[in-house]
Amino acid sequence: MEILRVENLSKIYGKGETAVKALDNVSFTVQKGEFIAVVGPSGSGKSTLLHILGGVDRPTSGKVYIEDTDIYSLDETRLAIFRRRQIGLIYQFYNLIPVLNVKENITLPLLLDGRQPDKSQLDELVSTLGLSDRLDYLPNQLSGGQQQRVSIGRAIISNPALMLADEPTGNLDSKNSSEIIGLLRLLNQKRKQTLIVITHDERIALQADRIMTIEDGRITRDEVIRS
Amino acid sequence: MNIVNKLTWRQLMLNKKRTLVTVIGTIISVAMITAVSSLGLSFLDMLRRQVIAESGEWHVLYKNVTMDQVEAIRKDEETQTVILSRDVGYALLEGSRNPNKPYLFIREYNEAGFEKFPVHLLEGRFPAASDEMVISRAILDNGKVDLKIGDTLTLDIGRRELIGAQERTYLEQNASLARYGGEVKEHLTRESVRTFTIVGIIGRPEWEPTWAPGYTVLTFLDEDAMANGAAANASVILKNPDGRLFEHARALAKSQGISEVSFHHELLRYSGVIEDDEARGLLFNLSAIVMTIIIIGSVSLIYNAFAISVSERSKYLGMLSSVGATKKQKRNSVFFEGAVIGSVSIPVGILAGLAGIGLTFAFINPVIKDMLGISADLFLVVSPLSLLAAVAISVLTIFISTWVPARRASNISAIEAIRQTQDYKLTRKAVKTWGLTRMLFGIEGDLGLKNLKRNRTKYKATVFSLVISIVLFLVIAKFTSELKKAVVMTQAGINFDIVINIDDASKAELIAEDIGSLEHIKDFSRIDSLYLMSPVEKEKVPDFLKSRVQDASGAYAYDAYINVLDDASLKTFAEEVGADFNKLKDPSRLSGIVIDVVTYKDMEKDKYVEARVINTRVGEKLNLAYYDSESDSQVQLESLEIAALTDKVPMGVLNLDPGTLSVIISKDVYDRLVQGYDRISEHVDVSLYMTSDDPLRLQEAIEEYMINTETGFSVYNVYLNRQKQEQLLLLMSVFTYGFMILITAICIANILNTISTSIALRKREFAMLKSVGMTPKSFNRMIYFESIFYGIKALLIGLPVSFAVMYLMFNVLGGMFDYAFTVPWASVAVVIVSVFLIVGVAMLYSSAKVKKENIIDVLKQEII
Amino acid sequence: MLRNREIRIILALVAFISTAGAAACFYISVAAGIIASIAFLMVILAFLLFTRWRYRQIHLLSGYLRRIAGGDYSLDVRDNQEGELSILKNEIYKVTVTLSEQASLLKKDKQFLADSLSDISHQLKTPITSMSVMAELLQNENLPQDKRAEFVRNIHSQLERLKWLVSSLLKLSRIDAGTIEFKKERIRVRELVSRAVEPILIPMELKEQTLEITGDEDAELTGDSNWTAEALANIVKNCMEHTPAGGRITIAFSENSLYTDITISDNGEGIHKQDLPHIFKRFYKGKNAHQDSIGIGLAMSRSIIENQNGTIEVSSEKGKGTTFTVKFYKGVV
């Protein structure tokens, strides 16, 4: 089942002579349950692509369909609600809300929807994340790995159609990195969670079903390594 | 400059905007302190000069002192100058056309007297010998007596003695010419004869009451020629007037056997010397409250200005320590920053403050002169002490504002400081909110509240600024209204400029008509008044009055002070108190307005008291009776229906006695009431009351009318007293409201700054919230909640504090006045609306600023 | 709408309260009564309109669900708005997606079953054919004794193989069908590994291979010790088979807050890159699979591990060796 379709996506920063083409006519599709690693040198447009897929940055031209919804045809409010329900974003620097505790950070997308999380579901999730005894902690009381796990929890809580991660292990030591990789892989396998991860970490890349290489805003390689 | 200071300097230059904000904040604060202190000093100085212009520059007055005693006073170490003066007496002014001013009033001054008392020489010179004199110009202008310099007058000098009094009664300058039934009831005694040569002409002295019967002439007091035992008044200018002068002066008087000592309280008050313990306490308390508020306000402002850069600074300090700076070096860096900012902003602040006040004075001087006719100008008075205080306060505050964060910054590790700019101390408890918040306001409200709580210092600083503004506004509003009330109470209902009493009722009609058509009259009313009695039932009398209104037979009866108003005045008054004018005019059912609230001075408690004097209702009857002296019996009149009860007083009606009921009726009702009792009308006094846009000119016109028609009546011009109080009130208002506006403006700047900085610091977080799907609407909700919570918190603290301060102030003032404490609800409403307005504007401004940011641009700015 | 009992009840209640309120207002003054009556009527009207709208939405949703039940998964009801109704729509959509996915999985499963059956029959056919040939040959009474003995041995071994195949397939099918109850006990990983390697210690010794076991002695995992030991044993056996004589097999294990992992690595021939994604598939035979291999051991290991909330991954480099990573997660996703 097709979960994501990208058509002729371009993103140009700046104007006139100083314009930089961050994405140049990119098209591809992603099936449900795929685990895609996006690799490429810095400045190649990986992050831009991810942000556009995540609905936080607007493309200059082209379309993004997530579960058949043209996300950039939505107005700002609907796009926000769409993000809340259909997209999970994970950043290198966790970007947790410092004033909310672990539980609130994880359930933030639900809270924004005015929902209460299902208790048993939440319990399962936090035990998978290994955060059961940290629910009341504030982000600054957690280690980097724990914070990243919280942000994974936040990304998965609403069962999003698409989970996007930008260098999720970029800021972590090797032990924490492998935990995070393991978690992502687990979510992908067990929940058939569609996952697109930008990474420089070859361990993640090797876990993926498909590796996409971006150079100068174009997809230069796209190979399925397992199916 | 060592390397750390150099770095700090660079850092300051690098963050120009932030540095500028801090510098401006500090400048404003220093300017405020400077401005407030010089404003206060300048006002005091102006009032002092005004007093000197009105009643002369002297501090202590020893009355009736002999030359020996004067010598002793002169020798006293505190004495600077001794002014001698003596009231010689009255002499008939031949040819005076003003029937109310038939005399010359002769006063002697020594040389210092002419110098230090407010005497304006218009022509010629001051007298230098006891046979020379200067005359008041009013003799020529008002009395129409043709005198000129060089003329010689021989005068029989004596005292004013009342005719027909049982004991010998002498009258002074402040008693007008005694008349009764159109006839003069006083004459002059003859005590001495002196001859004077006129050597100069002076302006009418301000201390001469307008109704005084004698024109002032001044002559020279020759000390050498003063006979042994002859007494004069010695006014003394002291070298250093301070709190001890009262005791010292009394001691001196006692040792010299001087019986009477008095003090120039008004001048002393404006020089900061007050004897009365209670009054001094009052002044001290008030100025303590105001000073505390000023200092707290400015300290919070400076602190806030610095707090804005604290998180940035701690990052920078983290960087320093990561390259190996010691704690001491870091601390020095912070102090250096304080020193740099202080050395720029303190001098600039002082100059700005002085310039601001100077400009303000330049603006308001003509206004004050125009409106109040004050002769003294407002000058910018700068005392080195106040400047020093301003500098000291600013330096201290800068020191504290930098030291506290510096200490904190030097205690955290390098990486903590670099990585977590502000949240390294965030605890679960700090951001704990009630579950109710989320239930009521949703996650947005909860986030808003948590956002407030996360940064305690800044949150508190902002709330504190708001609280200060609230308290200031309310307290000042209350203070001004209290002051007005106090002034009104002490004025005891004087609400007119000039009053004319006509005791010859037969001529009243004509005079009233003629005078009423004169120029410069704003309001004019005629009141025929007489005293009747009003027997009442016991229950209607309030307890505190029971003993007072009980007559010998045990019955209760008020004095009823019946005031008959002319129709035009009555109509206005009836509208003002909500009574039906036509009903009041109806002679078939007698009705009148009763003033049931009276302000009087309770002699026992020495307090002004406002009280309800009769327990009755609209529609009830008021019994009236009069005492007929011929038959020696009480005659019952028809009773009067109460058409309205009020605490308002029509122009001219004076009521100072709680045992007297003032009743206002129409002419028609009066005529019906006294029908058949002709003897009553003999007791009627006719008074004409008027307010004027130029009372002095009006008085002249009236006097002219009197001269031309040769009718007799007395004229009182009370305008000057009234004017003085109004001046004081207006000045106070200008001062207090100006101060309030200043501090409120600063608070707004403060709040705008704090909120927008805190939002700028949280951009990443906002971007994060947006990226997990917070809609623009929710986002705005969050921001608005944040602002609303600021407002609520500030009001929750500010309002009770204001009430407490107001109550405190009320108690302080209540030492002199007795009335119920009222909450100024209108001001409270204004405060609530303005607080939300201010915070709302700040929030709109900042959310607009955040809205402009693209989510992604913010997310890209990763911190190391 | 009025079919709904709760609506009738609330309407009655509202009407009663309004009438009472209006009556009370009439009692105070006629004007107040009229105003109150109008206001109450308006409120009821607004309430009715709103309820009607909401029921309409519910009606639409139930229509939508009916179509999904009919197998139409292409509908999208999401409107991306705030509010409970929108959340409901969104959830329904997610369920639809899951359903449609399951439908396609089911299709795959059918295909898989057909493939499996053909695989199994193929696997069974070869030994059966050879056995029936040998049985026929055995019928020949002239067969020399030594030949006969060889055939019998051969049939024996084929039968053993069949027995093993059948029992393995049986196990596998039971695991896949979920009829096996995995015990949930705390197992010390150290003991588990010892049990798993026990049956292959002798073959290893024969091949002069060394076994190295390192790891945190306290490490534990939650699972069924018998099955898990079997799963590990299959992996170790695979390693042993693909590692030349004198090679080395390393088993390392550790536990962290998220999972317990066991890595089994060898320095053998490695797995071909093309084979790598497929080695856990049933009956898959790689390029250099053993003659006897039927490709069921690793498939069973995977089934056992994944059924116990674990994952198994493999990485390999041709000529340098292969590493299997088994992770048992603590939480359930």
Side-chain angles (χ1 to χ4, degrees):
Chain A
M1 194 189 161
E2 189 180 278
I3 210 120
L4 170 71
R5 188 166 81 251
V6 176
E7 285 177 0
N8 309 322
L9 206 60
S10 292
K11 175 74 184 180
I12 298 165
Y13 288 114
K15 272 183 188 149
E17 286 181 20
T18 56
V20 178
K21 253 190 178 174
L23 285 178
D24 187 2
N25 213 19
V26 171
S27 301
F28 62 95
T29 59
V30 174
Q31 300 298 314
K32 176 145 174 79
E34 266 191 297
F35 180 172
I36 299 176
V38 179
V39 298
S42 323
S44 58
K46 306 185 299 273
S47 293
T48 307
L49 175 66
L50 197 83
H51 287 134
I52 291 179
L53 297 184
V56 289
D57 197 5
R58 284 187 182 267
T60 311
S61 66
K63 292 209 184 307
V64 175
Y65 294 92
I66 295 175
E67 288 186 328
D68 295 327
T69 305
D70 178 0
I71 60 169
Y72 288 106
S73 70
L74 301 174
D75 63 30
E76 211 184 325
T77 303
R78 288 182 187 208
L79 184 56
I81 295 173
F82 185 88
R83 278 200 299 269
R84 186 196 293 173
R85 294 178 188 161
Q86 312 291 357
I87 294 170
L89 274 166
I90 300 165
Y91 297 93
Q92 183 178 356
F93 294 99
Y94 335 129
N95 282 335
L96 302 176
I97 307 300
V99 291
L100 297 180
N101 64 24
V102 167
K103 185 179 166 192
E104 289 163 331
N105 259 301
I106 290 177
T107 56
L108 190 59
L110 298 186
L111 293 176
L112 286 172
D113 242 344
R115 277 194 280 175
Q116 283 303 314
D118 180 61
K119 177 97 177 55
S120 64
Q121 227 179 333
L122 182 68
D123 284 349
E124 257 175 38
L125 179 61
V126 292
S127 77
T128 305
L129 296 171
L131 293 167
S132 303
D133 52 346
R134 293 276 191 283
L135 283 183
D136 290 333
Y137 283 46
L138 291 180
N140 66 42
Q141 296 163 312
L142 300 177
S143 73
Q146 286 167 332
Q147 290 194 50
Q148 192 60 293
R149 280 187 255 147
V150 174
S151 84
I152 289 176
R154 182 178 65 195
I156 196 78
I157 188 77
S158 55
N159 287 318
L162 191 59
M163 203 155 126
L164 303 165
D166 191 354
E167 302 258 8
T169 59
N171 206 26
L172 298 174
D173 60 18
S174 122
K175 182 175 166 291
N176 277 310
S177 292
S178 39
E179 281 180 18
I180 296 298
I181 297 166
L183 262 177
L184 292 176
R185 184 72 186 140
L186 183 75
L187 295 174
N188 170 247
Q189 285 184 343
K190 289 283 165 134
R191 290 201 173 195
K192 300 281 176 279
Q193 177 63 57
T194 317
L195 199 57
I196 299 180
V197 181
I198 290 182
T199 187
H200 280 122
D201 188 341
E202 67 169 32
R203 286 179 305 169
I204 295 189
L206 285 175
Q207 296 291 323
D209 302 325
R210 179 173 161 192
I211 298 179
M212 213 184 263
T213 311
I214 294 192
E215 276 165 52
D216 295 329
R218 291 163 200 263
I219 299 178
T220 50
R221 264 171 73 183
D222 186 355
E223 59 177 332
V224 176
I225 55 170
R226 116 183 66 198
S227 61
Chain B
M1 222 191 286
N2 65 31
I3 183 67
V4 173
N5 289 354
K6 212 182 246 166
L7 263 175
T8 312
W9 177 258
R10 290 241 179 94
Q11 182 74 9
L12 282 172
M13 290 298 111
L14 213 62
N15 296 316
K16 275 209 182 76
K17 213 169 140 194
R18 183 130 292 132
T19 309
L20 210 65
V21 168
T22 315
V23 167
I24 287 173
T26 320
I27 286 176
I28 290 175
S29 179
V30 175
M32 184 176 75
I33 300 175
T34 317
V36 166
S37 60
S38 36
L39 191 66
L41 283 173
S42 303
F43 266 117
L44 277 180
D45 175 68
M46 185 199 68
L47 292 171
R48 213 168 61 85
R49 278 182 286 117
Q50 180 75 11
V51 168
I52 290 174
E54 278 166 11
S55 51
E57 186 188 355
W58 52 273
H59 298 122
V60 186
L61 172 65
Y62 301 95
K63 279 193 180 155
N64 296 323
V65 288
T66 61
M67 279 325 286
D68 295 342
Q69 290 166 327
V70 168
E71 219 34 57
I73 293 167
R74 278 222 170 95
K75 283 205 182 102
D76 187 70
E77 73 268 22
E78 292 290 329
T79 305
Q80 193 184 42
T81 315
V82 175
I83 307 163
L84 293 178
S85 69
R86 189 165 62 159
D87 291 350
V88 180
Y90 289 89
L92 213 59
L93 174 64
E94 275 172 50
S96 172
R97 301 277 303 273
N98 187 337
N100 280 340
K101 285 181 184 281
Y103 307 129
L104 289 174
F105 170 65
I106 304 150
R107 178 174 275 186
E108 290 180 330
Y109 280 148
N110 68 351
E111 217 166 323
F114 287 106
E115 212 174 287
K116 297 295 181 187
F117 278 109
V119 183
H120 303 287
L121 191 66
L122 300 173
E123 266 179 71
R125 59 171 174 87
F126 283 127
S130 54
D131 60 349
E132 293 177 342
M133 71 177 185
V134 286
I135 61 170
S136 163
R137 172 147 194 134
I139 297 173
L140 315 180
D141 296 345
N142 186 279
K144 311 277 187 216
V145 180
D146 192 23
L147 287 174
K148 55 185 184 297
I149 295 176
D151 286 357
T152 306
L153 292 177
T154 302
L155 301 171
D156 292 341
I157 300 170
R159 295 208 272 176
R160 292 167 62 199
E161 189 181 273
L162 205 60
I163 301 172
Q166 276 142 349
E167 293 163 40
R168 273 180 174 258
T169 309
Y170 297 110
L171 300 171
E172 298 291 331
Q173 266 292 71
N174 51 15
S176 64
L177 196 67
R179 287 168 187 277
Y180 191 71
E183 277 174 52
V184 176
K185 295 284 187 189
E186 65 171 80
H187 68 98
L188 287 186
T189 59
R190 246 188 95 173
E191 309 207 337
S192 62
V193 179
R194 281 169 74 176
T195 304
F196 298 100
T197 312
I198 300 171
V199 294
I201 296 171
I202 55 169
R204 198 182 74 85
E206 301 220 17
W207 36 260
E208 180 193 292
T210 54
W211 57 84
Y215 296 105
T216 306
V217 297
L218 299 175
T219 172
F220 186 75
L221 188 146
D222 192 350
E223 287 174 45
D224 302 331
M226 229 170 102
N228 254 3
N233 295 333
S235 307
V236 176
I237 302 174
L238 299 173
K239 281 179 187 148
N240 294 305
D242 56 30
R244 288 164 306 170
L245 71 91
F246 302 101
E247 228 170 284
H248 183 83
R250 288 205 182 93
L252 183 69
K254 204 170 176 189
S255 68
Q256 294 299 320
I258 300 167
S259 57
E260 216 177 321
V261 188
S262 69
F263 301 96
H264 196 179
H265 284 298
E266 222 178 339
L267 179 60
L268 287 171
R269 189 187 310 144
Y270 296 134
S271 314
V273 184
I274 290 165
E275 186 189 23
D276 184 4
D277 266 347
E278 202 167 287
R280 188 166 52 195
L282 174 106
L283 199 76
F284 180 79
N285 285 343
L286 278 180
S287 49
I289 291 171
V290 170
M291 271 323 278
T292 314
I293 289 171
I294 293 170
I295 290 179
I296 290 175
S298 62
V299 166
S300 84
L301 187 68
I302 295 181
Y303 192 89
N304 224 358
F306 271 87
I308 286 162
S309 62
V310 165
S311 61
E312 279 72 18
R313 185 154 357 94
S314 56
K315 211 158 120 187
Y316 157 73
L317 288 174
M319 193 273 289
L320 268 188
S321 73
S322 76
V323 296
T326 62
K327 265 191 180 187
K328 205 176 147 198
Q329 279 171 316
K330 283 194 282 178
R331 210 164 43 221
N332 285 345
S333 146
V334 175
F335 286 147
F336 177 74
E337 186 184 335
V340 168
I341 287 174
S343 63
V344 174
S345 27
I346 293 177
V348 175
I350 287 174
L351 287 179
L354 293 180
I357 288 298
L359 267 174
T360 315
F361 285 174
F363 268 112
I364 63 172
N365 251 336
V367 180
I368 289 182
K369 270 190 163 170
D370 260 17
M371 284 173 66
L372 303 172
I374 287 185
S375 48
D377 255 341
L378 257 176
F379 294 125
L380 185 61
V381 176
V382 182
S383 107
L385 206 68
S386 71
L387 286 192
L388 215 64
V391 170
I393 291 173
S394 319
V395 166
L396 199 73
T397 317
I398 292 176
F399 179 79
I400 293 170
S401 312
T402 48
W403 188 65
V404 172
R407 217 180 54 148
R408 207 180 336 156
S410 59
N411 282 339
I412 56 172
S413 78
I415 200 68
E416 259 181 333
I418 292 177
R419 274 182 66 171
Q420 287 165 320
T421 48
Q422 50 176 335
D423 292 320
Y424 55 88
K425 279 188 86 182
L426 206 60
T427 60
R428 264 179 279 172
K429 223 178 108 194
V431 295
K432 201 177 158 87
T433 50
W434 289 350
L436 198 65
T437 320
R438 189 170 297 172
M439 247 172 65
L440 285 178
F441 309 118
I443 180 75
E444 296 95 342
D446 199 31
L447 269 172
L449 190 59
K450 281 177 193 290
N451 281 336
L452 289 191
K453 294 193 161 190
R454 73 195 305 183
N455 199 335
R456 295 245 145 203
T457 346
K458 226 174 261 181
Y459 170 48
K460 277 185 187 157
T462 309
V463 169
F464 188 71
S465 324
L466 270 173
V467 166
I468 292 272
S469 293
I470 293 171
V471 172
L472 268 183
F473 179 82
L474 283 179
V475 168
I476 286 172
K478 177 80 181 161
F479 181 64
T480 319
S481 81
E482 295 288 285
L483 212 65
K484 269 190 188 141
K485 194 160 183 178
V487 167
V488 170
M489 279 177 100
T490 50
Q491 288 277 300
I494 295 180
N495 46 10
F496 47 87
D497 293 331
I498 293 177
V499 57
I500 297 174
N501 289 328
I502 307 166
D503 27 41
D504 189 356
S506 58
K507 285 185 187 162
E509 217 58 49
L510 185 71
I511 295 174
E513 200 171 303
D514 290 345
I515 299 260
S517 60
L518 287 174
E519 270 178 60
H520 301 298
I521 293 178
K522 272 202 297 194
D523 291 311
F524 178 85
S525 77
R526 173 186 164 174
I527 298 178
D528 297 4
S529 54
L530 77 158
Y531 280 93
L532 296 176
M533 279 181 295
S534 175
V536 291
E537 300 88 61
K538 191 182 173 191
E539 310 84 71
K540 287 190 174 175
V541 184
D543 289 338
F544 77 100
L545 273 178
K546 285 221 161 82
S547 61
R548 208 193 281 221
V549 298
Q550 199 167 22
D551 63 18
S553 63
Y556 291 91
Y558 287 94
D559 288 333
Y561 180 39
I562 307 292
N563 292 278
V564 183
L565 252 67
D566 58 295
D567 285 356
S569 311
L570 183 66
K571 189 167 184 182
T572 325
F573 185 65
E575 268 164 25
E576 201 181 329
V577 304
D580 183 2
F581 172 65
N582 292 325
K583 203 171 133 191
L584 287 168
K585 283 274 290 172
D586 185 359
S588 60
R589 46 186 299 209
L590 301 175
S591 63
I593 301 167
V594 173
I595 298 168
D596 64 339
V597 176
V598 172
T599 304
Y600 65 98
K601 190 166 185 180
D602 186 328
M603 293 304 169
E604 272 169 48
K605 286 196 255 172
D606 195 23
K607 263 185 181 184
Y608 286 92
V609 178
E610 189 181 81
R612 189 168 294 274
V613 292
I614 183 168
N615 300 320
T616 183
R617 279 204 306 272
V618 172
E620 287 195 28
K621 296 279 184 186
L622 195 70
N623 301 323
L624 291 176
Y626 87 99
Y627 176 75
D628 187 42
S629 52
E630 301 213 350
S631 61
D632 193 18
S633 65
Q634 220 180 59
V635 180
Q636 285 290 331
L637 298 175
E638 259 184 90
S639 61
L640 206 63
E641 187 187 326
I642 299 173
L645 290 166
T646 183
D647 58 349
K648 294 197 175 71
V649 181
M651 185 168 76
V653 176
L654 258 164
N655 195 356
L656 296 171
D657 177 18
T660 303
L661 279 180
S662 295
V663 182
I664 317 291
I665 58 171
S666 65
K667 181 77 177 147
D668 302 289
V669 170
Y670 170 76
D671 290 342
R672 171 81 185 75
L673 194 68
V674 298
Q675 210 170 26
Y677 305 99
D678 289 341
R679 267 201 293 268
I680 292 181
S681 47
E682 285 172 14
H683 300 284
V684 169
D685 281 325
V686 177
S687 304
L688 303 176
Y689 296 93
M690 54 212 98
T691 58
S692 168
D693 49 11
D694 192 344
L696 291 176
R697 187 72 57 76
L698 181 61
Q699 188 187 0
E700 276 171 29
I702 293 170
E703 281 165 354
E704 197 143 329
Y705 168 80
M706 200 155 50
I707 293 164
N708 295 337
T709 58
E710 297 192 342
T711 43
F713 51 81
S714 20
V715 180
Y716 292 93
N717 193 339
V718 292
Y719 147 79
L720 280 176
N721 293 351
R722 209 155 81 88
Q723 191 194 39
K724 229 187 220 167
Q725 300 288 356
E726 274 168 10
Q727 276 169 10
L728 194 69
L729 214 65
L730 191 91
L731 286 181
M732 283 299 244
S733 302
V734 167
F735 176 76
T736 47
Y737 279 104
F739 173 58
M740 190 186 72
I741 288 169
L742 196 69
I743 236 189
T744 308
I746 289 161
C747 279
I748 294 175
N750 228 332
I751 290 158
L752 276 179
N753 218 332
T754 315
I755 293 180
S756 65
T757 327
S758 91
I759 280 181
L761 289 175
R762 296 199 327 251
K763 263 188 212 156
R764 273 175 58 77
E765 217 175 294
F766 290 159
M768 185 58 235
L769 282 170
K770 280 186 180 172
S771 85
V772 296
M774 190 173 239
T775 59
K777 223 166 116 190
S778 305
F779 184 76
N780 285 341
R781 259 166 71 90
M782 181 179 79
I783 301 263
Y784 297 154
F785 272 124
E786 207 168 320
S787 78
I788 288 169
F789 288 138
Y790 264 119
I792 290 178
K793 181 92 180 187
L795 287 174
L796 279 183
I797 300 173
L799 289 182
V801 169
S802 311
F803 290 148
V805 175
M806 279 191 273
Y807 193 72
L808 201 80
M809 202 176 66
F810 170 76
N811 275 346
V812 170
L813 280 176
M816 288 168 69
F817 302 98
D818 195 0
Y819 50 80
F821 178 73
T822 50
V823 176
W825 290 115
S827 309
V828 171
V830 167
V831 158
I832 292 174
V833 170
S834 332
V835 162
F836 284 115
L837 218 66
I838 291 169
V839 189
V841 164
M843 278 295 170
L844 276 181
Y845 158 77
S846 354
S847 82
K849 250 173 94 179
V850 179
K851 215 174 276 172
K852 265 192 258 159
E853 303 275 344
N854 187 347
I855 310 178
I856 208 61
D857 292 342
V858 180
L859 284 175
K860 273 182 189 158
Q861 306 165 357
E862 302 285 6
I863 8 157
I864 314 144
Chain C
M1 193 167 79
L2 287 173
R3 279 182 321 218
N4 299 289
R5 217 171 93 86
E6 69 273 11
I7 291 293
R8 288 204 301 271
I9 292 172
I10 198 151
L11 259 183
L13 207 66
V14 168
F16 173 73
I17 294 170
S18 304
T19 319
C25 290
F26 267 115
Y27 181 72
I28 295 167
S29 101
V30 178
I34 291 169
I35 292 169
S37 307
I38 293 171
F40 283 135
L41 278 177
M42 303 278 266
V43 167
I44 293 174
L45 193 72
F47 168 74
L48 283 177
L49 280 175
F50 168 73
T51 313
R52 203 173 98 92
W53 175 82
R54 199 167 51 181
Y55 273 79
R56 233 188 119 59
Q57 294 292 317
I58 293 174
H59 184 74
L60 282 177
L61 279 180
S62 63
Y64 169 67
L65 280 173
R66 236 186 344 267
R67 287 170 68 183
I68 293 171
D72 184 356
Y73 299 127
S74 63
L75 281 172
D76 187 353
V77 278
R78 289 172 302 173
D79 54 6
N80 296 308
Q81 280 175 348
E82 297 277 14
E84 302 302 324
L85 212 59
S86 172
I87 293 173
L88 178 63
K89 287 175 182 171
N90 192 61
E91 293 298 310
I92 288 176
Y93 182 80
K94 277 180 183 166
V95 172
T96 315
V97 169
T98 316
L99 278 178
S100 90
E101 199 182 40
Q102 274 170 1
S104 71
L105 268 179
L106 218 59
K107 224 181 260 170
K108 256 192 203 160
D109 269 4
K110 269 185 195 158
Q111 183 60 45
F112 177 70
L113 197 64
D115 291 350
S116 296
L117 278 174
S118 93
D119 274 343
I120 291 167
S121 46
H122 181 73
Q123 292 289 343
L124 292 177
K125 215 168 89 188
T126 323
I128 288 171
T129 316
S130 82
M131 276 192 295
S132 61
V133 169
M134 280 186 279
E136 240 164 75
L137 287 173
L138 279 176
Q139 274 175 350
N140 186 353
E141 304 200 351
N142 301 337
L143 207 64
Q145 195 57 40
D146 57 332
K147 271 285 179 199
R148 184 177 295 269
E150 191 195 323
F151 283 157
V152 171
R153 207 172 54 241
N154 214 326
I155 288 174
H156 231 303
S157 102
Q158 294 283 14
L159 278 174
E160 275 299 312
R161 213 169 102 86
L162 268 180
K163 208 170 110 191
W164 185 81
L165 181 66
V166 169
S167 77
S168 295
L169 281 173
L170 209 62
K171 278 182 199 166
L172 206 53
S173 72
R174 278 168 65 201
I175 296 167
D176 285 352
T179 50
I180 288 179
E181 187 80 25
F182 288 102
K183 277 183 251 167
K184 289 211 162 127
E185 50 197 4
R186 295 295 290 166
I187 320 165
R188 291 177 76 85
V189 181
R190 174 79 232 193
E191 287 162 16
L192 185 74
V193 170
S194 302
R195 260 180 76 181
V197 297
E198 210 180 73
I200 52 161
L201 284 177
I202 295 164
M204 277 184 75
E205 222 171 279
L206 290 176
K207 285 182 87 174
E208 293 180 334
Q209 290 169 336
T210 48
L211 177 68
E212 195 181 321
I213 300 174
T214 58
D216 181 3
E217 291 293 323
D218 296 327
E220 289 186 335
L221 60 83
T222 308
D224 187 304
S225 59
N226 290 329
W227 283 106
T228 315
E230 178 162 357
L232 291 180
N234 284 341
I235 299 169
V236 180
K237 191 163 153 243
N238 187 285
C239 287
M240 182 202 74
E241 283 166 1
H242 292 278
T243 305
R248 159 198 289 264
I249 293 174
T250 316
I251 302 177
F253 49 88
S254 68
E255 183 182 4
N256 63 34
S257 51
L258 296 180
Y259 52 76
T260 306
D261 67 339
I262 304 168
T263 39
I264 302 158
S265 43
D266 63 45
N267 57 352
E269 59 205 29
I271 301 169
H272 213 275
K273 208 172 175 187
Q274 282 100 324
D275 294 334
L276 212 47
H278 310 293
I279 60 162
F280 295 113
K281 284 190 180 156
R282 220 166 281 184
F283 309 119
Y284 183 83
K285 278 191 197 169
K287 288 220 166 75
N288 42 4
H290 267 238
Q291 210 83 99
D292 303 340
S293 164
I294 40 174
I296 203 159
L298 287 179
M300 190 157 72
S301 294
R302 188 171 87 153
S303 282
I304 292 169
I305 289 164
E306 287 188 352
N307 269 295
Q308 295 190 91
N309 198 29
T311 58
I312 178 164
E313 277 152 15
V314 64
S315 62
S316 179
E317 205 168 331
K318 201 71 195 142
K320 285 202 174 158
T322 306
T323 303
F324 290 92
T325 308
V326 179
K327 286 176 184 162
F328 290 96
Y329 285 88
K330 296 182 170 169
V332 191
V333 179

